[in-house]
């Protein structure tokens, strides 16, 4: 959602009708507004909620925005681990692994235990190659986790549990789309 | 960091020198670039890492950017709970509780188990009043948690454990600052 007002209540006015319509919003990103007047909000939903979401946003007379963008050819890659916040290197190692494969990062959202990036879905194959870079993280003092979970664009789970990496766990999710 | 190139490797080039200088980056936000050419990246660090961070960014000749903004009068409020992703209402209830107190949200970063917002630090007192709105979340099927942790701007922990809310846990952190 591009060009919404940067003022109290806007996020509530956007997401309350979505919640009430049983639309499950996964990732929400709002960056600091450079001019303090308008801002852009990006969120991800399940692909099959797209029509309902667009209808809800467009019929919502409490909010005004400049335009809506959507991208249903995206995937989310997350690195998850309980102790990440105390290990400065994890952030740049993940970004470096993607950079080494020339994968552009469309959006970033992080918390203490999880780093998620949105990338073009057609880069997912590259990610499976570049996981060597991510496996380097196994020297971190996280709990062991032999399982990487992945959902293909059709929702079929793929188990990559032949990899014996440790936390951070790597998750790949390709059944969503972004709305900006 | 305003106006960095929207291309592979930029995030790695920004965060690798920070990590190598032992600067612990907490939250990283990058929204989808409307024009696909440049984007803004916001991140939070501990306040006492500011000088080192600015020096590292400015001496980094691998990146170019339009300008740097910083704000050391911010606080982060997070709602944390393992089952949040399956409960659509949590997102808008948190945003509504802040809206009801006329608190503007500067930035949002979420994951399946945590919703974090950055607000002006001087709104923290309002948050303590508006927590009634957040307590409404106690009807969610999360584990009970009687403790709300808060750190004041001086780093002194304040225990709000007289509140008997359940998950989502509410965390308030005021010892960081944002760089955009």
């Amino acid at each position: 959602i591009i060009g919404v007002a940067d003022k109290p209540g806007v996020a509530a006015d956007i997401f309350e009708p979505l919640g009430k319509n049983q639309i499950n919003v996964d990732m929400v990103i709002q960056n600091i507004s450079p001019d303090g007047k308008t801002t852009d909000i990006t969120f991800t939903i399940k692909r099959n909620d797209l029509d309902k979401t667009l209808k809800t946003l467009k019929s919502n007379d409490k909010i005004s925005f400049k335009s809506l963008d959507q991208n249903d050819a995206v995937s989310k890659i997350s690195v998850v681990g309980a102790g990440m916040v105390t290990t400065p290197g994890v952030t740049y190692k993940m970004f470096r692994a993607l950079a080494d494969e020339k994968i552009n990062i469309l959006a970033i959202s992080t918390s203490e235990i999880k780093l998620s990036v949105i990338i073009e879905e057609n880069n997912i194959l590259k990610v499976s190659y570049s996981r060597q870079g991510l496996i380097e993280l196994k020297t971190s003092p996280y709990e062991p986790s032999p399982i990487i979970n992945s959902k293909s664009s059709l929702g079929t789970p793929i188990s990559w549990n032949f990899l014996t990496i440790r936390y951070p766990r790597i998750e790949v999710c390709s059944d969503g789309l972004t709305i900006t």
Side-chain angles (χ1 to χ4, degrees), chain A:
Chain A
I1 312 177
I2 298 172
V4 294
D6 184 25
K7 65 178 186 189
V10 171
D13 287 339
I14 290 171
F15 292 102
E16 187 160 355
L18 296 177
K20 288 185 173 167
N21 277 319
Q22 305 301 316
I23 297 164
N24 211 340
V25 175
D26 173 23
M27 201 164 141
V28 181
I29 303 173
Q30 179 195 324
N31 206 339
I32 287 181
S33 163
D35 63 4
K37 290 174 189 161
T38 64
T39 189
D40 304 338
I41 293 182
T42 296
F43 60 95
T44 60
I45 52 166
K46 296 282 175 195
R47 285 182 189 169
N48 52 19
D49 280 337
L50 176 62
D51 290 344
K52 198 160 64 162
T53 301
L54 290 179
K55 203 174 154 188
T56 306
L57 287 174
K58 286 172 183 168
S59 65
N60 184 344
D61 53 16
K62 284 190 180 171
I63 56 169
S64 64
F65 49 83
K66 203 176 124 198
S67 60
L68 284 178
D69 262 9
Q70 71 203 54
N71 186 345
D72 65 357
V74 296
S75 292
K76 183 175 72 168
I77 313 283
S78 305
V79 176
V80 189
M84 292 206 319
V85 67
T86 54
T87 313
V90 175
T91 305
Y92 83 73
K93 282 182 184 170
M94 181 187 189
F95 294 156
R96 178 59 63 202
L98 295 169
D100 286 347
E101 299 297 321
K102 309 266 186 278
I103 295 172
N104 195 26
I105 299 172
L106 300 176
I108 303 170
S109 178
T110 72
S111 64
E112 284 89 338
I113 57 157
K114 187 165 184 171
L115 284 170
S116 294
V117 299
I118 299 285
I119 63 172
E120 298 286 352
E121 191 178 14
N122 59 16
N123 282 325
I124 280 295
L125 194 61
K126 284 194 194 172
V127 170
S128 67
Y129 287 120
S130 79
R131 63 180 184 258
Q132 293 299 334
L134 294 162
I135 290 168
E136 200 193 328
L137 295 167
K138 74 183 173 189
T139 52
S140 309
Y142 303 116
E143 300 171 43
S145 164
I147 296 168
I148 294 178
N149 291 310
S150 168
K151 280 187 181 176
S152 79
S153 57
L154 296 172
T156 319
I158 302 163
S159 184
W160 285 346
N161 57 5
F162 54 89
L163 278 170
T164 55
I165 68 151
R166 290 170 178 274
Y167 271 115
R169 195 169 77 239
I170 301 167
E171 292 174 351
V172 181
C173 180
S174 294
D175 60 349
L177 58 80
T178 61
I179 294 191
T180 302

Short mmCIF file of all heavy atoms in Angstrom, two decimals, chain A residues 122-177:
data_model
loop_
_atom_site.label_atom_id
_atom_site.label_comp_id
_atom_site.label_asym_id
_atom_site.label_seq_id
_atom_site.Cartn_x
_atom_site.Cartn_y
_atom_site.Cartn_z
N ASN A 122 11.57 -17.06 -8.41
CA ASN A 122 12.45 -17.80 -9.33
C ASN A 122 13.90 -17.86 -8.83
O ASN A 122 14.74 -18.47 -9.47
CB ASN A 122 12.38 -17.25 -10.76
CG ASN A 122 12.77 -15.79 -10.82
OD1 ASN A 122 13.37 -15.25 -9.89
ND2 ASN A 122 12.43 -15.14 -11.92
N ASN A 123 14.17 -17.26 -7.69
CA ASN A 123 15.50 -17.39 -7.10
C ASN A 123 15.59 -18.53 -6.09
O ASN A 123 16.66 -18.77 -5.54
CB ASN A 123 15.90 -16.09 -6.40
CG ASN A 123 16.36 -15.04 -7.39
OD1 ASN A 123 16.98 -15.36 -8.40
ND2 ASN A 123 16.06 -13.79 -7.11
N ILE A 124 14.47 -19.20 -5.87
CA ILE A 124 14.47 -20.25 -4.86
C ILE A 124 15.45 -21.37 -5.19
O ILE A 124 16.13 -21.90 -4.31
CB ILE A 124 13.03 -20.82 -4.68
CG1 ILE A 124 12.22 -19.89 -3.81
CG2 ILE A 124 13.05 -22.21 -4.06
CD1 ILE A 124 12.74 -19.80 -2.38
N LEU A 125 15.56 -21.69 -6.47
CA LEU A 125 16.50 -22.73 -6.84
C LEU A 125 17.92 -22.31 -6.48
O LEU A 125 18.71 -23.09 -5.96
CB LEU A 125 16.40 -23.00 -8.35
CG LEU A 125 17.07 -24.29 -8.81
CD1 LEU A 125 16.44 -25.50 -8.13
CD2 LEU A 125 16.95 -24.43 -10.33
N LYS A 126 18.22 -21.04 -6.72
CA LYS A 126 19.54 -20.53 -6.35
C LYS A 126 19.77 -20.66 -4.86
O LYS A 126 20.86 -20.93 -4.41
CB LYS A 126 19.65 -19.05 -6.73
CG LYS A 126 19.86 -18.77 -8.19
CD LYS A 126 20.29 -17.32 -8.30
CE LYS A 126 20.22 -16.78 -9.69
NZ LYS A 126 20.47 -15.33 -9.71
N VAL A 127 18.70 -20.42 -4.09
CA VAL A 127 18.86 -20.51 -2.64
C VAL A 127 19.27 -21.91 -2.24
O VAL A 127 20.12 -22.11 -1.39
CB VAL A 127 17.58 -20.09 -1.91
CG1 VAL A 127 17.69 -20.42 -0.43
CG2 VAL A 127 17.35 -18.62 -2.11
N SER A 128 18.66 -22.91 -2.90
CA SER A 128 19.01 -24.26 -2.52
C SER A 128 20.49 -24.52 -2.81
O SER A 128 21.16 -25.24 -2.10
CB SER A 128 18.11 -25.27 -3.21
OG SER A 128 18.37 -25.28 -4.60
N TYR A 129 21.02 -23.90 -3.86
CA TYR A 129 22.45 -24.01 -4.09
C TYR A 129 23.25 -23.22 -3.06
O TYR A 129 24.28 -23.65 -2.59
CB TYR A 129 22.81 -23.53 -5.50
CG TYR A 129 22.38 -24.48 -6.58
CD1 TYR A 129 21.50 -24.07 -7.57
CD2 TYR A 129 22.84 -25.79 -6.59
CE1 TYR A 129 21.10 -24.95 -8.56
CE2 TYR A 129 22.43 -26.68 -7.57
CZ TYR A 129 21.56 -26.26 -8.56
OH TYR A 129 21.15 -27.11 -9.53
N SER A 130 22.75 -22.03 -2.75
CA SER A 130 23.55 -21.14 -1.91
C SER A 130 23.46 -21.51 -0.45
O SER A 130 24.07 -20.87 0.38
CB SER A 130 23.12 -19.68 -2.10
OG SER A 130 21.96 -19.41 -1.38
N ARG A 131 22.71 -22.53 -0.12
CA ARG A 131 22.61 -22.85 1.30
C ARG A 131 23.95 -23.26 1.88
O ARG A 131 24.12 -23.28 3.09
CB ARG A 131 21.54 -23.92 1.55
CG ARG A 131 21.82 -25.24 0.93
CD ARG A 131 20.72 -26.25 1.23
NE ARG A 131 21.09 -27.53 0.68
CZ ARG A 131 20.61 -28.05 -0.44
NH1 ARG A 131 19.69 -27.41 -1.11
NH2 ARG A 131 21.01 -29.22 -0.89
N GLN A 132 24.89 -23.60 1.03
CA GLN A 132 26.24 -23.86 1.55
C GLN A 132 26.71 -22.67 2.38
O GLN A 132 27.32 -22.83 3.41
CB GLN A 132 27.22 -24.09 0.39
CG GLN A 132 26.96 -25.37 -0.40
CD GLN A 132 27.08 -26.64 0.43
OE1 GLN A 132 27.78 -26.66 1.44
NE2 GLN A 132 26.37 -27.68 0.05
N GLY A 133 26.39 -21.48 1.89
CA GLY A 133 26.77 -20.28 2.62
C GLY A 133 26.06 -20.18 3.94
O GLY A 133 26.62 -19.73 4.94
N LEU A 134 24.80 -20.62 3.94
CA LEU A 134 24.04 -20.55 5.18
C LEU A 134 24.48 -21.62 6.16
O LEU A 134 24.46 -21.42 7.37
CB LEU A 134 22.54 -20.68 4.87
CG LEU A 134 21.99 -19.50 4.07
CD1 LEU A 134 20.66 -19.86 3.43
CD2 LEU A 134 21.79 -18.28 4.96
N ILE A 135 24.91 -22.75 5.63
CA ILE A 135 25.34 -23.83 6.49
C ILE A 135 26.57 -23.44 7.31
O ILE A 135 26.79 -23.94 8.40
CB ILE A 135 25.63 -25.10 5.66
CG1 ILE A 135 24.30 -25.64 5.13
CG2 ILE A 135 26.31 -26.18 6.49
CD1 ILE A 135 24.46 -26.69 4.09
N GLU A 136 27.31 -22.48 6.79
CA GLU A 136 28.45 -21.97 7.53
C GLU A 136 28.05 -21.54 8.94
O GLU A 136 28.86 -21.52 9.84
CB GLU A 136 29.01 -20.77 6.76
CG GLU A 136 30.45 -20.42 7.12
CD GLU A 136 30.79 -19.06 6.56
OE1 GLU A 136 30.26 -18.70 5.51
OE2 GLU A 136 31.57 -18.36 7.20
N LEU A 137 26.77 -21.18 9.07
CA LEU A 137 26.27 -20.74 10.36
C LEU A 137 26.27 -21.85 11.40
O LEU A 137 26.01 -21.61 12.56
CB LEU A 137 24.83 -20.21 10.20
CG LEU A 137 24.69 -18.95 9.36
CD1 LEU A 137 23.23 -18.72 9.02
CD2 LEU A 137 25.25 -17.76 10.11
N LYS A 138 26.55 -23.08 10.99
CA LYS A 138 26.44 -24.18 11.94
C LYS A 138 27.43 -24.08 13.10
O LYS A 138 27.27 -24.76 14.10
CB LYS A 138 26.58 -25.53 11.24
CG LYS A 138 27.99 -25.87 10.82
CD LYS A 138 28.01 -27.20 10.08
CE LYS A 138 29.40 -27.45 9.51
NZ LYS A 138 29.41 -28.61 8.62
N THR A 139 28.42 -23.24 12.96
CA THR A 139 29.35 -23.06 14.07
C THR A 139 28.74 -22.21 15.18
O THR A 139 29.33 -22.06 16.23
CB THR A 139 30.64 -22.39 13.58
OG1 THR A 139 30.28 -21.21 12.87
CG2 THR A 139 31.42 -23.30 12.67
N SER A 140 27.57 -21.65 14.93
CA SER A 140 26.91 -20.86 15.97
C SER A 140 26.40 -21.78 17.08
O SER A 140 26.11 -22.94 16.85
CB SER A 140 25.73 -20.09 15.37
OG SER A 140 26.14 -19.38 14.23
N PRO A 141 26.29 -21.23 18.27
CA PRO A 141 25.94 -22.08 19.42
C PRO A 141 24.44 -22.32 19.56
O PRO A 141 23.86 -22.09 20.60
CB PRO A 141 26.48 -21.26 20.60
CG PRO A 141 26.31 -19.85 20.16
CD PRO A 141 26.53 -19.84 18.68
N TYR A 142 23.81 -22.74 18.46
CA TYR A 142 22.38 -22.97 18.55
C TYR A 142 22.09 -24.45 18.74
O TYR A 142 22.93 -25.30 18.50
CB TYR A 142 21.68 -22.47 17.30
CG TYR A 142 21.95 -21.02 17.04
CD1 TYR A 142 22.65 -20.61 15.92
CD2 TYR A 142 21.55 -20.07 17.97
CE1 TYR A 142 22.93 -19.28 15.71
CE2 TYR A 142 21.83 -18.74 17.77
CZ TYR A 142 22.52 -18.35 16.64
OH TYR A 142 22.81 -17.04 16.44
N GLU A 143 20.87 -24.74 19.10
CA GLU A 143 20.46 -26.14 19.23
C GLU A 143 20.55 -26.83 17.88
O GLU A 143 20.30 -26.22 16.85
CB GLU A 143 18.99 -26.21 19.66
CG GLU A 143 18.65 -25.55 20.96
CD GLU A 143 17.14 -25.51 21.11
OE1 GLU A 143 16.48 -26.52 20.81
OE2 GLU A 143 16.62 -24.45 21.51
N PRO A 144 20.84 -28.10 17.86
CA PRO A 144 20.88 -28.80 16.58
C PRO A 144 19.47 -28.94 16.00
O PRO A 144 18.50 -29.10 16.72
CB PRO A 144 21.46 -30.17 16.93
CG PRO A 144 21.23 -30.33 18.38
CD PRO A 144 21.15 -28.96 18.99
N SER A 145 19.37 -28.85 14.70
CA SER A 145 18.08 -29.04 14.04
C SER A 145 18.34 -29.62 12.67
O SER A 145 18.86 -28.95 11.80
CB SER A 145 17.34 -27.72 13.89
OG SER A 145 16.30 -27.87 12.95
N PRO A 146 18.01 -30.87 12.44
CA PRO A 146 18.36 -31.48 11.17
C PRO A 146 17.35 -31.18 10.07
O PRO A 146 17.48 -31.65 8.97
CB PRO A 146 18.35 -32.97 11.49
CG PRO A 146 17.32 -33.09 12.57
CD PRO A 146 17.35 -31.80 13.34
N ILE A 147 16.34 -30.39 10.35
CA ILE A 147 15.25 -30.27 9.40
C ILE A 147 15.15 -28.88 8.79
O ILE A 147 15.17 -27.88 9.50
CB ILE A 147 13.91 -30.63 10.06
CG1 ILE A 147 13.93 -32.09 10.50
CG2 ILE A 147 12.74 -30.39 9.10
CD1 ILE A 147 12.80 -32.48 11.40
N ILE A 148 15.09 -28.83 7.49
CA ILE A 148 14.74 -27.59 6.80
C ILE A 148 13.37 -27.81 6.19
O ILE A 148 13.16 -28.77 5.46
CB ILE A 148 15.74 -27.26 5.69
CG1 ILE A 148 17.11 -26.96 6.29
CG2 ILE A 148 15.26 -26.07 4.89
CD1 ILE A 148 18.15 -26.68 5.25
N ASN A 149 12.45 -26.96 6.50
CA ASN A 149 11.12 -27.12 5.94
C ASN A 149 10.94 -26.19 4.76
O ASN A 149 11.37 -25.07 4.77
CB ASN A 149 10.05 -26.76 6.98
CG ASN A 149 10.02 -27.77 8.08
OD1 ASN A 149 9.96 -28.95 7.83
ND2 ASN A 149 10.10 -27.29 9.32
N SER A 150 10.27 -26.67 3.76
CA SER A 150 10.02 -25.83 2.60
C SER A 150 8.62 -26.14 2.11
O SER A 150 8.16 -27.26 2.14
CB SER A 150 11.02 -26.16 1.50
OG SER A 150 10.62 -25.56 0.29
N LYS A 151 7.95 -25.09 1.67
CA LYS A 151 6.67 -25.32 1.01
C LYS A 151 6.80 -24.83 -0.41
O LYS A 151 7.22 -23.71 -0.65
CB LYS A 151 5.57 -24.54 1.71
CG LYS A 151 5.07 -25.22 2.96
CD LYS A 151 3.87 -24.50 3.50
CE LYS A 151 3.39 -25.18 4.78
NZ LYS A 151 2.27 -24.43 5.37
N SER A 152 6.48 -25.65 -1.37
CA SER A 152 6.56 -25.22 -2.76
C SER A 152 5.39 -24.29 -3.04
O SER A 152 4.51 -24.08 -2.22
CB SER A 152 6.50 -26.41 -3.69
OG SER A 152 5.16 -26.83 -3.82
N SER A 153 5.37 -23.75 -4.26
CA SER A 153 4.29 -22.83 -4.60
C SER A 153 2.95 -23.54 -4.62
O SER A 153 1.91 -22.92 -4.57
CB SER A 153 4.58 -22.17 -5.94
OG SER A 153 4.74 -23.18 -6.91
N LEU A 154 2.96 -24.85 -4.72
CA LEU A 154 1.70 -25.59 -4.69
C LEU A 154 1.36 -26.02 -3.27
O LEU A 154 0.38 -26.71 -3.04
CB LEU A 154 1.80 -26.83 -5.58
CG LEU A 154 1.99 -26.49 -7.06
CD1 LEU A 154 2.26 -27.76 -7.86
CD2 LEU A 154 0.73 -25.79 -7.60
N GLY A 155 2.16 -25.62 -2.33
CA GLY A 155 1.87 -25.95 -0.94
C GLY A 155 2.38 -27.32 -0.53
O GLY A 155 2.17 -27.75 0.58
N THR A 156 3.05 -28.04 -1.42
CA THR A 156 3.56 -29.35 -1.06
C THR A 156 4.80 -29.20 -0.19
O THR A 156 5.74 -28.54 -0.59
CB THR A 156 3.98 -30.12 -2.33
OG1 THR A 156 3.02 -29.89 -3.34
CG2 THR A 156 4.12 -31.59 -2.06
N PRO A 157 4.79 -29.80 0.96
CA PRO A 157 5.98 -29.66 1.78
C PRO A 157 7.14 -30.49 1.23
O PRO A 157 6.94 -31.61 0.77
CB PRO A 157 5.55 -30.19 3.15
CG PRO A 157 4.19 -30.72 2.99
CD PRO A 157 3.76 -30.59 1.59
N ILE A 158 8.31 -29.91 1.21
CA ILE A 158 9.51 -30.61 0.79
C ILE A 158 10.40 -30.70 2.02
O ILE A 158 10.68 -29.70 2.65
CB ILE A 158 10.27 -29.83 -0.29
CG1 ILE A 158 9.38 -29.56 -1.50
CG2 ILE A 158 11.54 -30.56 -0.69
CD1 ILE A 158 9.93 -28.47 -2.40
N SER A 159 10.81 -31.87 2.35
CA SER A 159 11.68 -32.01 3.51
C SER A 159 13.13 -32.08 3.06
O SER A 159 13.51 -32.91 2.25
CB SER A 159 11.31 -33.26 4.29
OG SER A 159 12.09 -33.34 5.43
N TRP A 160 13.92 -31.16 3.54
CA TRP A 160 15.35 -31.17 3.22
C TRP A 160 16.13 -31.70 4.40
O TRP A 160 17.21 -31.23 4.70
CB TRP A 160 15.82 -29.74 2.92
CG TRP A 160 15.38 -29.25 1.60
CD1 TRP A 160 14.87 -29.97 0.57
CD2 TRP A 160 15.43 -27.89 1.14
NE1 TRP A 160 14.59 -29.16 -0.49
CE2 TRP A 160 14.92 -27.88 -0.17
CE3 TRP A 160 15.84 -26.70 1.71
CZ2 TRP A 160 14.82 -26.72 -0.91
CZ3 TRP A 160 15.75 -25.55 0.97
CH2 TRP A 160 15.24 -25.56 -0.34
N ASN A 161 15.59 -32.72 5.04
CA ASN A 161 16.20 -33.12 6.30
C ASN A 161 17.45 -33.97 6.13
O ASN A 161 17.99 -34.47 7.10
CB ASN A 161 15.18 -33.83 7.19
CG ASN A 161 14.58 -35.02 6.50
OD1 ASN A 161 15.00 -35.37 5.41
ND2 ASN A 161 13.62 -35.66 7.13
N PHE A 162 17.92 -34.11 4.89
CA PHE A 162 19.21 -34.78 4.70
C PHE A 162 20.36 -33.86 5.12
O PHE A 162 21.49 -34.28 5.27
CB PHE A 162 19.39 -35.22 3.24
CG PHE A 162 19.19 -34.10 2.26
CD1 PHE A 162 20.25 -33.31 1.87
CD2 PHE A 162 17.94 -33.85 1.72
CE1 PHE A 162 20.07 -32.28 0.97
CE2 PHE A 162 17.75 -32.81 0.82
CZ PHE A 162 18.83 -32.02 0.45
N LEU A 163 20.01 -32.60 5.27
CA LEU A 163 21.05 -31.65 5.69
C LEU A 163 21.19 -31.69 7.20
O LEU A 163 20.21 -31.60 7.92
CB LEU A 163 20.65 -30.24 5.28
CG LEU A 163 20.95 -29.87 3.85
CD1 LEU A 163 20.28 -28.55 3.53
CD2 LEU A 163 22.45 -29.76 3.64
N THR A 164 22.38 -31.78 7.66
CA THR A 164 22.56 -31.84 9.10
C THR A 164 23.07 -30.50 9.62
O THR A 164 24.09 -30.43 10.29
CB THR A 164 23.54 -32.95 9.48
OG1 THR A 164 24.75 -32.72 8.76
CG2 THR A 164 22.97 -34.31 9.13
N ILE A 165 22.34 -29.45 9.26
CA ILE A 165 22.73 -28.15 9.81
C ILE A 165 22.15 -27.99 11.20
O ILE A 165 21.28 -28.73 11.63
CB ILE A 165 22.27 -26.98 8.94
CG1 ILE A 165 20.74 -26.86 8.97
CG2 ILE A 165 22.79 -27.09 7.55
CD1 ILE A 165 20.27 -25.46 8.76
N ARG A 166 22.63 -27.03 11.88
CA ARG A 166 22.10 -26.69 13.19
C ARG A 166 21.27 -25.45 13.06
O ARG A 166 21.16 -24.86 11.98
CB ARG A 166 23.28 -26.41 14.14
CG ARG A 166 24.04 -27.66 14.49
CD ARG A 166 25.32 -27.33 15.22
NE ARG A 166 25.99 -28.55 15.56
CZ ARG A 166 25.76 -29.24 16.66
NH1 ARG A 166 24.87 -28.81 17.53
NH2 ARG A 166 26.40 -30.35 16.91
N TYR A 167 20.66 -25.03 14.15
CA TYR A 167 20.04 -23.72 14.13
C TYR A 167 21.08 -22.71 13.71
O TYR A 167 22.24 -22.89 14.03
CB TYR A 167 19.51 -23.32 15.51
CG TYR A 167 18.13 -23.76 15.78
CD1 TYR A 167 17.87 -24.69 16.78
CD2 TYR A 167 17.07 -23.26 15.04
CE1 TYR A 167 16.58 -25.10 17.05
CE2 TYR A 167 15.79 -23.67 15.29
CZ TYR A 167 15.54 -24.59 16.30
OH TYR A 167 14.27 -24.99 16.55
N PRO A 168 20.74 -21.58 13.10
CA PRO A 168 19.42 -21.21 12.67
C PRO A 168 18.80 -22.19 11.67
O PRO A 168 19.46 -22.63 10.75
CB PRO A 168 19.63 -19.86 12.00
CG PRO A 168 20.90 -19.35 12.55
CD PRO A 168 21.72 -20.53 12.84
N ARG A 169 17.56 -22.48 11.89
CA ARG A 169 16.76 -23.25 10.95
C ARG A 169 16.48 -22.37 9.74
O ARG A 169 16.34 -21.16 9.86
CB ARG A 169 15.44 -23.60 11.65
CG ARG A 169 14.66 -24.67 10.98
CD ARG A 169 13.51 -25.13 11.88
NE ARG A 169 12.41 -24.21 11.89
CZ ARG A 169 11.95 -23.61 12.98
NH1 ARG A 169 12.51 -23.80 14.16
NH2 ARG A 169 10.90 -22.81 12.90
N ILE A 170 16.41 -23.00 8.59
CA ILE A 170 16.10 -22.24 7.38
C ILE A 170 14.71 -22.64 6.91
O ILE A 170 14.40 -23.82 6.80
CB ILE A 170 17.12 -22.53 6.26
CG1 ILE A 170 18.52 -22.17 6.74
CG2 ILE A 170 16.77 -21.76 5.01
CD1 ILE A 170 19.61 -22.70 5.85
N GLU A 171 13.87 -21.67 6.69
CA GLU A 171 12.52 -21.95 6.21
C GLU A 171 12.31 -21.26 4.87
O GLU A 171 12.72 -20.12 4.68
CB GLU A 171 11.46 -21.40 7.18
CG GLU A 171 11.41 -22.11 8.50
CD GLU A 171 10.46 -21.45 9.48
OE1 GLU A 171 9.97 -20.33 9.16
OE2 GLU A 171 10.22 -22.02 10.54
N VAL A 172 11.68 -21.95 3.97
CA VAL A 172 11.36 -21.38 2.67
C VAL A 172 9.86 -21.48 2.50
O VAL A 172 9.28 -22.53 2.71
CB VAL A 172 12.07 -22.15 1.52
CG1 VAL A 172 11.74 -21.51 0.19
CG2 VAL A 172 13.56 -22.18 1.74
N CYS A 173 9.24 -20.39 2.15
CA CYS A 173 7.78 -20.40 2.04
C CYS A 173 7.40 -19.69 0.75
O CYS A 173 7.74 -18.54 0.53
CB CYS A 173 7.18 -19.68 3.24
SG CYS A 173 5.41 -19.63 3.19
N SER A 174 6.73 -20.39 -0.14
CA SER A 174 6.43 -19.83 -1.46
C SER A 174 4.94 -19.80 -1.76
O SER A 174 4.55 -19.75 -2.92
CB SER A 174 7.13 -20.64 -2.56
OG SER A 174 8.51 -20.51 -2.45
N ASP A 175 4.11 -19.87 -0.74
CA ASP A 175 2.68 -19.86 -1.06
C ASP A 175 2.02 -18.53 -0.74
O ASP A 175 0.81 -18.42 -0.74
CB ASP A 175 1.95 -21.02 -0.36
CG ASP A 175 2.08 -20.93 1.15
OD1 ASP A 175 2.89 -20.11 1.62
OD2 ASP A 175 1.36 -21.66 1.84
N GLY A 176 2.83 -17.51 -0.54
CA GLY A 176 2.26 -16.21 -0.22
C GLY A 176 2.47 -15.21 -1.32
O GLY A 176 3.00 -15.52 -2.39
N LEU A 177 2.02 -14.00 -1.10
CA LEU A 177 2.29 -12.90 -2.01
C LEU A 177 2.39 -11.64 -1.20
O LEU A 177 1.92 -11.57 -0.06
CB LEU A 177 1.21 -12.78 -3.10
CG LEU A 177 -0.24 -12.57 -2.70
CD1 LEU A 177 -0.53 -11.12 -2.35
CD2 LEU A 177 -1.12 -12.93 -3.88
#
